[in-house]
Amino acid sequence: SNFMQKDDTTMDGDDEMTSAKNEAFNKIDFDAPKISKVSDLETLAAMLDAELYEKEWFVTGLVNPSYFADEFEFQDPDVKVNGIEDYAK
């Protein structure tokens, strides 16, 4: 029977999404220069808001490393990571 068999020559929706995310993640330049001091807090907030809205960092992991120090650390009750690349994964 061919019921529920997957054709290896085509990707389903989940495979396509995973492939697209991997491709986007691989384009992130984790060695990009850091953003220098921004003149005011409102400008920085507007820059971050635009990035967060466009890329949905917290959902996709597609961060802009230029905002994060090399010593960036993140911790919550379930996870602890060192570095923005580990956070993005």
Side-chain angles (χ1 to χ4, degrees), residues 31-72:
D31 296 320
K34 305 303 178 197
I35 292 177
S36 60
K37 291 187 178 181
V38 177
S39 60
D40 62 88
L41 190 56
E42 286 183 26
T43 300
L44 179 60
M47 292 167 57
L48 287 170
D49 188 53
E51 293 261 2
L52 288 169
Y53 181 78
E54 179 183 323
K55 296 181 182 174
E56 299 178 327
W57 288 353
F58 301 116
V59 177
T60 65
L62 301 178
V63 300
N64 182 341
S66 62
Y67 291 106
F68 298 87
D70 292 332
E71 304 82 26
F72 172 80

Side-chain angles (χ1 to χ4, degrees), residues 11 13-28 30 55-63 85-89:
M11 289 194 283
D14 290 341
D15 289 341
E16 288 176 5
M17 286 177 51
T18 300
S19 178
K21 182 175 184 209
N22 287 339
E23 184 177 329
F25 183 82
N26 289 334
K27 290 181 181 178
I28 297 173
F30 288 101
K55 296 181 182 174
E56 299 178 327
W57 288 353
F58 301 116
V59 177
T60 65
L62 301 178
V63 300
E85 187 169 358
D86 286 344
Y87 172 81
K89 290 178 183 178

